[in-house]
PDB file of all heavy atoms in Angstrom:
ATOM      1  N   PHE A   1       0.836  -1.214   0.000  1.00 86.00           N
ATOM      2  CA  PHE A   1       0.000   0.000   0.000  1.00 86.00           C
ATOM      3  C   PHE A   1       0.865   1.256   0.000  1.00 86.00           C
ATOM      4  O   PHE A   1       0.547   2.251  -0.665  1.00 86.00           O
ATOM      5  CB  PHE A   1      -0.921  -0.026   1.230  1.00 86.00           C
ATOM      6  CG  PHE A   1      -1.681   1.236   1.460  1.00 86.00           C
ATOM      7  CD1 PHE A   1      -2.804   1.530   0.706  1.00 86.00           C
ATOM      8  CD2 PHE A   1      -1.271   2.141   2.428  1.00 86.00           C
ATOM      9  CE1 PHE A   1      -3.518   2.713   0.915  1.00 86.00           C
ATOM     10  CE2 PHE A   1      -1.976   3.315   2.644  1.00 86.00           C
ATOM     11  CZ  PHE A   1      -3.092   3.604   1.890  1.00 86.00           C
ATOM     12  N   ILE A   2       1.971   1.222   0.722  1.00 86.00           N
ATOM     13  CA  ILE A   2       2.881   2.372   0.789  1.00 86.00           C
ATOM     14  C   ILE A   2       3.436   2.709  -0.588  1.00 86.00           C
ATOM     15  O   ILE A   2       3.568   3.887  -0.953  1.00 86.00           O
ATOM     16  CB  ILE A   2       4.018   2.087   1.794  1.00 86.00           C
ATOM     17  CG1 ILE A   2       3.474   2.106   3.227  1.00 86.00           C
ATOM     18  CG2 ILE A   2       5.152   3.099   1.643  1.00 86.00           C
ATOM     19  CD1 ILE A   2       4.479   1.690   4.277  1.00 86.00           C
ATOM     20  N   VAL A   3       3.760   1.669  -1.368  1.00 83.00           N
ATOM     21  CA  VAL A   3       4.287   1.905  -2.711  1.00 83.00           C
ATOM     22  C   VAL A   3       3.284   2.694  -3.549  1.00 83.00           C
ATOM     23  O   VAL A   3       3.657   3.556  -4.358  1.00 83.00           O
ATOM     24  CB  VAL A   3       4.637   0.570  -3.402  1.00 83.00           C
ATOM     25  CG1 VAL A   3       5.136   0.820  -4.821  1.00 83.00           C
ATOM     26  CG2 VAL A   3       5.699  -0.185  -2.610  1.00 83.00           C
ATOM     27  N   PHE A   4       2.008   2.403  -3.368  1.00 82.00           N
ATOM     28  CA  PHE A   4       0.964   3.068  -4.165  1.00 82.00           C
ATOM     29  C   PHE A   4       0.641   4.475  -3.667  1.00 82.00           C
ATOM     30  O   PHE A   4       0.184   5.309  -4.449  1.00 82.00           O
ATOM     31  CB  PHE A   4      -0.319   2.231  -4.146  1.00 82.00           C
ATOM     32  CG  PHE A   4      -0.308   1.064  -5.085  1.00 82.00           C
ATOM     33  CD1 PHE A   4       0.155  -0.167  -4.671  1.00 82.00           C
ATOM     34  CD2 PHE A   4      -0.746   1.201  -6.394  1.00 82.00           C
ATOM     35  CE1 PHE A   4       0.169  -1.258  -5.539  1.00 82.00           C
ATOM     36  CE2 PHE A   4      -0.733   0.131  -7.271  1.00 82.00           C
ATOM     37  CZ  PHE A   4      -0.274  -1.099  -6.848  1.00 82.00           C
ATOM     38  N   THR A   5       0.847   4.741  -2.385  1.00 82.00           N
ATOM     39  CA  THR A   5       0.344   5.992  -1.813  1.00 82.00           C
ATOM     40  C   THR A   5       1.413   7.018  -1.467  1.00 82.00           C
ATOM     41  O   THR A   5       1.130   8.221  -1.467  1.00 82.00           O
ATOM     42  CB  THR A   5      -0.479   5.705  -0.542  1.00 82.00           C
ATOM     43  OG1 THR A   5       0.335   4.994   0.396  1.00 82.00           O
ATOM     44  CG2 THR A   5      -1.713   4.902  -0.882  1.00 82.00           C
ATOM     45  N   PHE A   6       2.640   6.566  -1.164  1.00 80.00           N
ATOM     46  CA  PHE A   6       3.678   7.531  -0.814  1.00 80.00           C
ATOM     47  C   PHE A   6       4.205   8.196  -2.085  1.00 80.00           C
ATOM     48  O   PHE A   6       4.092   7.656  -3.178  1.00 80.00           O
ATOM     49  CB  PHE A   6       4.822   6.852  -0.066  1.00 80.00           C
ATOM     50  CG  PHE A   6       4.507   6.576   1.383  1.00 80.00           C
ATOM     51  CD1 PHE A   6       3.208   6.541   1.845  1.00 80.00           C
ATOM     52  CD2 PHE A   6       5.526   6.332   2.282  1.00 80.00           C
ATOM     53  CE1 PHE A   6       2.917   6.278   3.168  1.00 80.00           C
ATOM     54  CE2 PHE A   6       5.257   6.057   3.606  1.00 80.00           C
ATOM     55  CZ  PHE A   6       3.947   6.035   4.055  1.00 80.00           C
ATOM     56  N   ASN A   7       4.812   9.352  -1.920  1.00 78.00           N
ATOM     57  CA  ASN A   7       5.323  10.112  -3.052  1.00 78.00           C
ATOM     58  C   ASN A   7       6.845  10.255  -2.986  1.00 78.00           C
ATOM     59  O   ASN A   7       7.459  10.082  -1.936  1.00 78.00           O
ATOM     60  CB  ASN A   7       4.693  11.514  -3.090  1.00 78.00           C
ATOM     61  CG  ASN A   7       3.204  11.458  -3.348  1.00 78.00           C
ATOM     62  OD1 ASN A   7       2.743  10.729  -4.225  1.00 78.00           O
ATOM     63  ND2 ASN A   7       2.437  12.222  -2.571  1.00 78.00           N
ATOM     64  N   GLY A   8       7.410  10.573  -4.127  1.00 77.00           N
ATOM     65  CA  GLY A   8       8.837  10.841  -4.178  1.00 77.00           C
ATOM     66  C   GLY A   8       9.687   9.620  -3.906  1.00 77.00           C
ATOM     67  O   GLY A   8       9.266   8.475  -4.062  1.00 77.00           O
ATOM     68  N   TYR A   9      10.906   9.880  -3.445  1.00 80.00           N
ATOM     69  CA  TYR A   9      11.836   8.783  -3.164  1.00 80.00           C
ATOM     70  C   TYR A   9      11.365   7.904  -2.008  1.00 80.00           C
ATOM     71  O   TYR A   9      11.802   6.766  -1.873  1.00 80.00           O
ATOM     72  CB  TYR A   9      13.223   9.342  -2.851  1.00 80.00           C
ATOM     73  CG  TYR A   9      13.881  10.008  -4.029  1.00 80.00           C
ATOM     74  CD1 TYR A   9      14.223  11.359  -3.984  1.00 80.00           C
ATOM     75  CD2 TYR A   9      14.154   9.291  -5.192  1.00 80.00           C
ATOM     76  CE1 TYR A   9      14.817  11.979  -5.069  1.00 80.00           C
ATOM     77  CE2 TYR A   9      14.746   9.902  -6.284  1.00 80.00           C
ATOM     78  CZ  TYR A   9      15.077  11.249  -6.218  1.00 80.00           C
ATOM     79  OH  TYR A   9      15.667  11.854  -7.298  1.00 80.00           O
ATOM     80  N   TYR A  10      10.477   8.450  -1.178  1.00 81.00           N
ATOM     81  CA  TYR A  10       9.959   7.663  -0.062  1.00 81.00           C
ATOM     82  C   TYR A  10       9.157   6.455  -0.542  1.00 81.00           C
ATOM     83  O   TYR A  10       8.972   5.489   0.185  1.00 81.00           O
ATOM     84  CB  TYR A  10       9.106   8.547   0.844  1.00 81.00           C
ATOM     85  CG  TYR A  10       9.879   9.697   1.437  1.00 81.00           C
ATOM     86  CD1 TYR A  10       9.462  11.002   1.239  1.00 81.00           C
ATOM     87  CD2 TYR A  10      11.039   9.467   2.174  1.00 81.00           C
ATOM     88  CE1 TYR A  10      10.179  12.070   1.767  1.00 81.00           C
ATOM     89  CE2 TYR A  10      11.765  10.521   2.710  1.00 81.00           C
ATOM     90  CZ  TYR A  10      11.334  11.822   2.499  1.00 81.00           C
ATOM     91  OH  TYR A  10      12.057  12.868   3.017  1.00 81.00           O
ATOM     92  N   ARG A  11       8.640   6.541  -1.756  1.00 82.00           N
ATOM     93  CA  ARG A  11       7.914   5.404  -2.341  1.00 82.00           C
ATOM     94  C   ARG A  11       8.846   4.195  -2.494  1.00 82.00           C
ATOM     95  O   ARG A  11       8.400   3.053  -2.453  1.00 82.00           O
ATOM     96  CB  ARG A  11       7.332   5.816  -3.692  1.00 82.00           C
ATOM     97  CG  ARG A  11       6.645   4.689  -4.436  1.00 82.00           C
ATOM     98  CD  ARG A  11       6.081   5.178  -5.746  1.00 82.00           C
ATOM     99  NE  ARG A  11       4.929   6.026  -5.541  1.00 82.00           N
ATOM    100  CZ  ARG A  11       4.515   6.953  -6.389  1.00 82.00           C
ATOM    101  NH1 ARG A  11       5.190   7.192  -7.487  1.00 82.00           N
ATOM    102  NH2 ARG A  11       3.435   7.670  -6.129  1.00 82.00           N
ATOM    103  N   LEU A  12      10.127   4.470  -2.687  1.00 85.00           N
ATOM    104  CA  LEU A  12      11.124   3.394  -2.778  1.00 85.00           C
ATOM    105  C   LEU A  12      11.792   3.127  -1.438  1.00 85.00           C
ATOM    106  O   LEU A  12      11.951   1.974  -1.034  1.00 85.00           O
ATOM    107  CB  LEU A  12      12.204   3.759  -3.808  1.00 85.00           C
ATOM    108  CG  LEU A  12      11.796   3.841  -5.276  1.00 85.00           C
ATOM    109  CD1 LEU A  12      12.985   4.280  -6.109  1.00 85.00           C
ATOM    110  CD2 LEU A  12      11.287   2.495  -5.759  1.00 85.00           C
ATOM    111  N   LEU A  13      12.188   4.197  -0.751  1.00 85.00           N
ATOM    112  CA  LEU A  13      13.003   4.065   0.450  1.00 85.00           C
ATOM    113  C   LEU A  13      12.278   3.350   1.587  1.00 85.00           C
ATOM    114  O   LEU A  13      12.782   2.370   2.151  1.00 85.00           O
ATOM    115  CB  LEU A  13      13.458   5.448   0.913  1.00 85.00           C
ATOM    116  CG  LEU A  13      14.310   5.484   2.180  1.00 85.00           C
ATOM    117  CD1 LEU A  13      15.606   4.723   1.966  1.00 85.00           C
ATOM    118  CD2 LEU A  13      14.583   6.930   2.604  1.00 85.00           C
ATOM    119  N   ILE A  14      11.084   3.823   1.917  1.00 86.00           N
ATOM    120  CA  ILE A  14      10.380   3.272   3.076  1.00 86.00           C
ATOM    121  C   ILE A  14       9.940   1.823   2.846  1.00 86.00           C
ATOM    122  O   ILE A  14      10.163   0.966   3.710  1.00 86.00           O
ATOM    123  CB  ILE A  14       9.193   4.180   3.471  1.00 86.00           C
ATOM    124  CG1 ILE A  14       9.738   5.532   3.958  1.00 86.00           C
ATOM    125  CG2 ILE A  14       8.348   3.522   4.559  1.00 86.00           C
ATOM    126  CD1 ILE A  14       8.687   6.528   4.370  1.00 86.00           C
ATOM    127  N   PRO A  15       9.336   1.471   1.698  1.00 87.00           N
ATOM    128  CA  PRO A  15       9.008   0.050   1.477  1.00 87.00           C
ATOM    129  C   PRO A  15      10.244  -0.846   1.443  1.00 87.00           C
ATOM    130  O   PRO A  15      10.191  -1.991   1.904  1.00 87.00           O
ATOM    131  CB  PRO A  15       8.294   0.065   0.120  1.00 87.00           C
ATOM    132  CG  PRO A  15       7.740   1.423  -0.004  1.00 87.00           C
ATOM    133  CD  PRO A  15       8.762   2.321   0.640  1.00 87.00           C
ATOM    134  N   THR A  16      11.370  -0.352   0.915  1.00 88.00           N
ATOM    135  CA  THR A  16      12.582  -1.169   0.890  1.00 88.00           C
ATOM    136  C   THR A  16      13.063  -1.467   2.308  1.00 88.00           C
ATOM    137  O   THR A  16      13.422  -2.608   2.633  1.00 88.00           O
ATOM    138  CB  THR A  16      13.695  -0.450   0.100  1.00 88.00           C
ATOM    139  OG1 THR A  16      13.267  -0.278  -1.252  1.00 88.00           O
ATOM    140  CG2 THR A  16      14.974  -1.270   0.114  1.00 88.00           C
ATOM    141  N   ILE A  17      13.057  -0.454   3.165  1.00 88.00           N
ATOM    142  CA  ILE A  17      13.417  -0.653   4.577  1.00 88.00           C
ATOM    143  C   ILE A  17      12.443  -1.617   5.239  1.00 88.00           C
ATOM    144  O   ILE A  17      12.837  -2.557   5.933  1.00 88.00           O
ATOM    145  CB  ILE A  17      13.434   0.697   5.325  1.00 88.00           C
ATOM    146  CG1 ILE A  17      14.556   1.588   4.791  1.00 88.00           C
ATOM    147  CG2 ILE A  17      13.600   0.476   6.821  1.00 88.00           C
ATOM    148  CD1 ILE A  17      14.528   3.002   5.355  1.00 88.00           C
ATOM    149  N   LEU A  18      11.147  -1.372   5.001  1.00 89.00           N
ATOM    150  CA  LEU A  18      10.114  -2.203   5.622  1.00 89.00           C
ATOM    151  C   LEU A  18      10.241  -3.663   5.208  1.00 89.00           C
ATOM    152  O   LEU A  18      10.244  -4.563   6.057  1.00 89.00           O
ATOM    153  CB  LEU A  18       8.730  -1.673   5.241  1.00 89.00           C
ATOM    154  CG  LEU A  18       7.545  -2.586   5.592  1.00 89.00           C
ATOM    155  CD1 LEU A  18       7.462  -2.809   7.086  1.00 89.00           C
ATOM    156  CD2 LEU A  18       6.250  -2.017   5.044  1.00 89.00           C
ATOM    157  N   PHE A  19      10.356  -3.911   3.895  1.00 89.00           N
ATOM    158  CA  PHE A  19      10.383  -5.299   3.437  1.00 89.00           C
ATOM    159  C   PHE A  19      11.693  -6.002   3.779  1.00 89.00           C
ATOM    160  O   PHE A  19      11.724  -7.232   3.901  1.00 89.00           O
ATOM    161  CB  PHE A  19      10.114  -5.369   1.932  1.00 89.00           C
ATOM    162  CG  PHE A  19       8.655  -5.276   1.584  1.00 89.00           C
ATOM    163  CD1 PHE A  19       8.158  -4.199   0.865  1.00 89.00           C
ATOM    164  CD2 PHE A  19       7.770  -6.262   1.997  1.00 89.00           C
ATOM    165  CE1 PHE A  19       6.814  -4.114   0.553  1.00 89.00           C
ATOM    166  CE2 PHE A  19       6.422  -6.189   1.694  1.00 89.00           C
ATOM    167  CZ  PHE A  19       5.935  -5.105   0.977  1.00 89.00           C
ATOM    168  N   THR A  20      12.780  -5.243   3.964  1.00 90.00           N
ATOM    169  CA  THR A  20      14.015  -5.852   4.436  1.00 90.00           C
ATOM    170  C   THR A  20      13.837  -6.367   5.858  1.00 90.00           C
ATOM    171  O   THR A  20      14.216  -7.506   6.181  1.00 90.00           O
ATOM    172  CB  THR A  20      15.177  -4.841   4.386  1.00 90.00           C
ATOM    173  OG1 THR A  20      15.380  -4.421   3.035  1.00 90.00           O
ATOM    174  CG2 THR A  20      16.461  -5.470   4.913  1.00 90.00           C
ATOM    175  N   ILE A  21      13.226  -5.555   6.706  1.00 91.00           N
ATOM    176  CA  ILE A  21      12.924  -5.986   8.076  1.00 91.00           C
ATOM    177  C   ILE A  21      11.901  -7.119   8.056  1.00 91.00           C
ATOM    178  O   ILE A  21      12.004  -8.087   8.811  1.00 91.00           O
ATOM    179  CB  ILE A  21      12.407  -4.793   8.908  1.00 91.00           C
ATOM    180  CG1 ILE A  21      13.485  -3.711   8.992  1.00 91.00           C
ATOM    181  CG2 ILE A  21      11.988  -5.241  10.307  1.00 91.00           C
ATOM    182  CD1 ILE A  21      13.010  -2.422   9.623  1.00 91.00           C
ATOM    183  N   TRP A  22      10.921  -7.002   7.166  1.00 91.00           N
ATOM    184  CA  TRP A  22       9.870  -8.029   7.029  1.00 91.00           C
ATOM    185  C   TRP A  22      10.493  -9.392   6.713  1.00 91.00           C
ATOM    186  O   TRP A  22      10.102 -10.414   7.291  1.00 91.00           O
ATOM    187  CB  TRP A  22       8.919  -7.595   5.918  1.00 91.00           C
ATOM    188  CG  TRP A  22       7.698  -8.446   5.719  1.00 91.00           C
ATOM    189  CD1 TRP A  22       6.491  -8.301   6.337  1.00 91.00           C
ATOM    190  CD2 TRP A  22       7.559  -9.561   4.837  1.00 91.00           C
ATOM    191  NE1 TRP A  22       5.610  -9.252   5.892  1.00 91.00           N
ATOM    192  CE2 TRP A  22       6.238 -10.045   4.967  1.00 91.00           C
ATOM    193  CE3 TRP A  22       8.422 -10.194   3.949  1.00 91.00           C
ATOM    194  CZ2 TRP A  22       5.766 -11.134   4.247  1.00 91.00           C
ATOM    195  CZ3 TRP A  22       7.959 -11.285   3.230  1.00 91.00           C
ATOM    196  CH2 TRP A  22       6.653 -11.744   3.375  1.00 91.00           C
ATOM    197  N   GLN A  23      11.453  -9.403   5.802  1.00 91.00           N
ATOM    198  CA  GLN A  23      12.100 -10.660   5.448  1.00 91.00           C
ATOM    199  C   GLN A  23      12.893 -11.251   6.612  1.00 91.00           C
ATOM    200  O   GLN A  23      12.914 -12.472   6.804  1.00 91.00           O
ATOM    201  CB  GLN A  23      13.028 -10.467   4.244  1.00 91.00           C
ATOM    202  CG  GLN A  23      12.285 -10.294   2.941  1.00 91.00           C
ATOM    203  CD  GLN A  23      13.185 -10.550   1.751  1.00 91.00           C
ATOM    204  OE1 GLN A  23      13.394 -11.685   1.343  1.00 91.00           O
ATOM    205  NE2 GLN A  23      13.740  -9.485   1.192  1.00 91.00           N
ATOM    206  N   LEU A  24      13.539 -10.393   7.385  1.00 90.00           N
ATOM    207  CA  LEU A  24      14.283 -10.878   8.542  1.00 90.00           C
ATOM    208  C   LEU A  24      13.342 -11.534   9.553  1.00 90.00           C
ATOM    209  O   LEU A  24      13.650 -12.584  10.127  1.00 90.00           O
ATOM    210  CB  LEU A  24      15.046  -9.724   9.198  1.00 90.00           C
ATOM    211  CG  LEU A  24      16.213  -9.137   8.380  1.00 90.00           C
ATOM    212  CD1 LEU A  24      16.811  -7.938   9.100  1.00 90.00           C
ATOM    213  CD2 LEU A  24      17.275 -10.193   8.117  1.00 90.00           C
ATOM    214  N   VAL A  25      12.185 -10.907   9.768  1.00 91.00           N
ATOM    215  CA  VAL A  25      11.191 -11.488  10.682  1.00 91.00           C
ATOM    216  C   VAL A  25      10.657 -12.799  10.121  1.00 91.00           C
ATOM    217  O   VAL A  25      10.509 -13.798  10.833  1.00 91.00           O
ATOM    218  CB  VAL A  25      10.033 -10.494  10.924  1.00 91.00           C
ATOM    219  CG1 VAL A  25       8.917 -11.152  11.743  1.00 91.00           C
ATOM    220  CG2 VAL A  25      10.548  -9.248  11.635  1.00 91.00           C
ATOM    221  N   PHE A  26      10.376 -12.817   8.828  1.00 91.00           N
ATOM    222  CA  PHE A  26       9.750 -13.969   8.186  1.00 91.00           C
ATOM    223  C   PHE A  26      10.702 -15.161   8.066  1.00 91.00           C
ATOM    224  O   PHE A  26      10.330 -16.299   8.339  1.00 91.00           O
ATOM    225  CB  PHE A  26       9.254 -13.547   6.803  1.00 91.00           C
ATOM    226  CG  PHE A  26       8.333 -14.535   6.148  1.00 91.00           C
ATOM    227  CD1 PHE A  26       7.229 -15.030   6.811  1.00 91.00           C
ATOM    228  CD2 PHE A  26       8.567 -14.956   4.852  1.00 91.00           C
ATOM    229  CE1 PHE A  26       6.367 -15.941   6.209  1.00 91.00           C
ATOM    230  CE2 PHE A  26       7.711 -15.866   4.230  1.00 91.00           C
ATOM    231  CZ  PHE A  26       6.615 -16.358   4.913  1.00 91.00           C
ATOM    232  N   PHE A  27      11.953 -14.895   7.689  1.00 91.00           N
ATOM    233  CA  PHE A  27      12.879 -15.977   7.384  1.00 91.00           C
ATOM    234  C   PHE A  27      13.886 -16.297   8.489  1.00 91.00           C
ATOM    235  O   PHE A  27      14.360 -17.430   8.573  1.00 91.00           O
ATOM    236  CB  PHE A  27      13.659 -15.666   6.101  1.00 91.00           C
ATOM    237  CG  PHE A  27      12.817 -15.686   4.861  1.00 91.00           C
ATOM    238  CD1 PHE A  27      12.621 -14.543   4.120  1.00 91.00           C
ATOM    239  CD2 PHE A  27      12.219 -16.865   4.434  1.00 91.00           C
ATOM    240  CE1 PHE A  27      11.848 -14.558   2.970  1.00 91.00           C
ATOM    241  CE2 PHE A  27      11.438 -16.891   3.288  1.00 91.00           C
ATOM    242  CZ  PHE A  27      11.250 -15.738   2.559  1.00 91.00           C
ATOM    243  N   VAL A  28      14.226 -15.322   9.298  1.00 91.00           N
ATOM    244  CA  VAL A  28      15.308 -15.535  10.272  1.00 91.00           C
ATOM    245  C   VAL A  28      14.777 -15.794  11.678  1.00 91.00           C
ATOM    246  O   VAL A  28      15.192 -16.751  12.336  1.00 91.00           O
ATOM    247  CB  VAL A  28      16.276 -14.330  10.278  1.00 91.00           C
ATOM    248  CG1 VAL A  28      17.370 -14.527  11.331  1.00 91.00           C
ATOM    249  CG2 VAL A  28      16.902 -14.142   8.896  1.00 91.00           C
ATOM    250  N   LEU A  29      13.861 -14.964  12.146  1.00 91.00           N
ATOM    251  CA  LEU A  29      13.347 -15.124  13.502  1.00 91.00           C
ATOM    252  C   LEU A  29      12.351 -16.280  13.578  1.00 91.00           C
ATOM    253  O   LEU A  29      11.783 -16.702  12.565  1.00 91.00           O
ATOM    254  CB  LEU A  29      12.668 -13.839  13.963  1.00 91.00           C
ATOM    255  CG  LEU A  29      13.563 -12.587  14.039  1.00 91.00           C
ATOM    256  CD1 LEU A  29      12.755 -11.395  14.536  1.00 91.00           C
ATOM    257  CD2 LEU A  29      14.778 -12.820  14.928  1.00 91.00           C
ATOM    258  N   SER A  30      12.150 -16.779  14.775  1.00 90.00           N
ATOM    259  CA  SER A  30      11.158 -17.845  14.987  1.00 90.00           C
ATOM    260  C   SER A  30       9.751 -17.273  14.789  1.00 90.00           C
ATOM    261  O   SER A  30       9.528 -16.081  15.041  1.00 90.00           O
ATOM    262  CB  SER A  30      11.291 -18.422  16.399  1.00 90.00           C
ATOM    263  OG  SER A  30      12.551 -19.044  16.568  1.00 90.00           O
ATOM    264  N   PRO A  31       8.810 -18.099  14.333  1.00 90.00           N
ATOM    265  CA  PRO A  31       7.444 -17.605  14.084  1.00 90.00           C
ATOM    266  C   PRO A  31       6.662 -17.389  15.376  1.00 90.00           C
ATOM    267  O   PRO A  31       5.728 -18.124  15.694  1.00 90.00           O
ATOM    268  CB  PRO A  31       6.829 -18.728  13.233  1.00 90.00           C
ATOM    269  CG  PRO A  31       7.564 -19.956  13.658  1.00 90.00           C
ATOM    270  CD  PRO A  31       8.973 -19.517  13.952  1.00 90.00           C
ATOM    271  N   LYS A  32       7.047 -16.358  16.115  1.00 89.00           N
ATOM    272  CA  LYS A  32       6.389 -16.044  17.380  1.00 89.00           C
ATOM    273  C   LYS A  32       5.502 -14.820  17.214  1.00 89.00           C
ATOM    274  O   LYS A  32       5.883 -13.862  16.531  1.00 89.00           O
ATOM    275  CB  LYS A  32       7.435 -15.794  18.470  1.00 89.00           C
ATOM    276  CG  LYS A  32       8.260 -17.024  18.807  1.00 89.00           C
ATOM    277  CD  LYS A  32       9.254 -16.728  19.923  1.00 89.00           C
ATOM    278  CE  LYS A  32      10.045 -17.977  20.278  1.00 89.00           C
ATOM    279  NZ  LYS A  32      11.026 -17.718  21.358  1.00 89.00           N
ATOM    280  N   PRO A  33       4.329 -14.813  17.843  1.00 89.00           N
ATOM    281  CA  PRO A  33       3.392 -13.686  17.698  1.00 89.00           C
ATOM    282  C   PRO A  33       4.016 -12.341  18.051  1.00 89.00           C
ATOM    283  O   PRO A  33       3.719 -11.344  17.404  1.00 89.00           O
ATOM    284  CB  PRO A  33       2.259 -14.043  18.663  1.00 89.00           C
ATOM    285  CG  PRO A  33       2.325 -15.528  18.790  1.00 89.00           C
ATOM    286  CD  PRO A  33       3.773 -15.889  18.674  1.00 89.00           C
ATOM    287  N   LEU A  34       4.889 -12.313  19.067  1.00 92.00           N
ATOM    288  CA  LEU A  34       5.484 -11.058  19.506  1.00 92.00           C
ATOM    289  C   LEU A  34       6.230 -10.380  18.370  1.00 92.00           C
ATOM    290  O   LEU A  34       6.118  -9.152  18.183  1.00 92.00           O
ATOM    291  CB  LEU A  34       6.438 -11.312  20.675  1.00 92.00           C
ATOM    292  CG  LEU A  34       7.211 -10.087  21.183  1.00 92.00           C
ATOM    293  CD1 LEU A  34       6.233  -9.028  21.702  1.00 92.00           C
ATOM    294  CD2 LEU A  34       8.201 -10.486  22.273  1.00 92.00           C
ATOM    295  N   TYR A  35       6.993 -11.159  17.585  1.00 93.00           N
ATOM    296  CA  TYR A  35       7.752 -10.579  16.482  1.00 93.00           C
ATOM    297  C   TYR A  35       6.814 -10.000  15.422  1.00 93.00           C
ATOM    298  O   TYR A  35       7.090  -8.947  14.845  1.00 93.00           O
ATOM    299  CB  TYR A  35       8.672 -11.625  15.861  1.00 93.00           C
ATOM    300  CG  TYR A  35       9.684 -12.205  16.820  1.00 93.00           C
ATOM    301  CD1 TYR A  35      10.052 -13.548  16.754  1.00 93.00           C
ATOM    302  CD2 TYR A  35      10.268 -11.416  17.803  1.00 93.00           C
ATOM    303  CE1 TYR A  35      10.978 -14.079  17.637  1.00 93.00           C
ATOM    304  CE2 TYR A  35      11.192 -11.950  18.687  1.00 93.00           C
ATOM    305  CZ  TYR A  35      11.550 -13.276  18.602  1.00 93.00           C
ATOM    306  OH  TYR A  35      12.459 -13.800  19.471  1.00 93.00           O
ATOM    307  N   GLY A  36       5.721 -10.691  15.155  1.00 92.00           N
ATOM    308  CA  GLY A  36       4.755 -10.197  14.190  1.00 92.00           C
ATOM    309  C   GLY A  36       4.093  -8.917  14.652  1.00 92.00           C
ATOM    310  O   GLY A  36       3.902  -7.977  13.872  1.00 92.00           O
ATOM    311  N   ILE A  37       3.742  -8.860  15.939  1.00 93.00           N
ATOM    312  CA  ILE A  37       3.101  -7.661  16.487  1.00 93.00           C
ATOM    313  C   ILE A  37       4.058  -6.466  16.429  1.00 93.00           C
ATOM    314  O   ILE A  37       3.664  -5.351  16.071  1.00 93.00           O
ATOM    315  CB  ILE A  37       2.644  -7.928  17.941  1.00 93.00           C
ATOM    316  CG1 ILE A  37       1.503  -8.962  17.940  1.00 93.00           C
ATOM    317  CG2 ILE A  37       2.196  -6.637  18.607  1.00 93.00           C
ATOM    318  CD1 ILE A  37       1.120  -9.446  19.319  1.00 93.00           C
ATOM    319  N   ILE A  38       5.326  -6.701  16.775  1.00 93.00           N
ATOM    320  CA  ILE A  38       6.329  -5.635  16.701  1.00 93.00           C
ATOM    321  C   ILE A  38       6.464  -5.139  15.261  1.00 93.00           C
ATOM    322  O   ILE A  38       6.609  -3.932  15.008  1.00 93.00           O
ATOM    323  CB  ILE A  38       7.683  -6.127  17.238  1.00 93.00           C
ATOM    324  CG1 ILE A  38       7.593  -6.369  18.751  1.00 93.00           C
ATOM    325  CG2 ILE A  38       8.790  -5.121  16.930  1.00 93.00           C
ATOM    326  CD1 ILE A  38       8.839  -6.969  19.358  1.00 93.00           C
TER     327      ILE A  38
END
């Protein structure tokens, strides 16, 4: 949603940061609810 709604370089920067963290949570950390909530 951020890619569609944010403007300027933030359309790239913020989703890239977010999905990098998202991948670390998804692939590296254990599937615990606390990590998902954070």
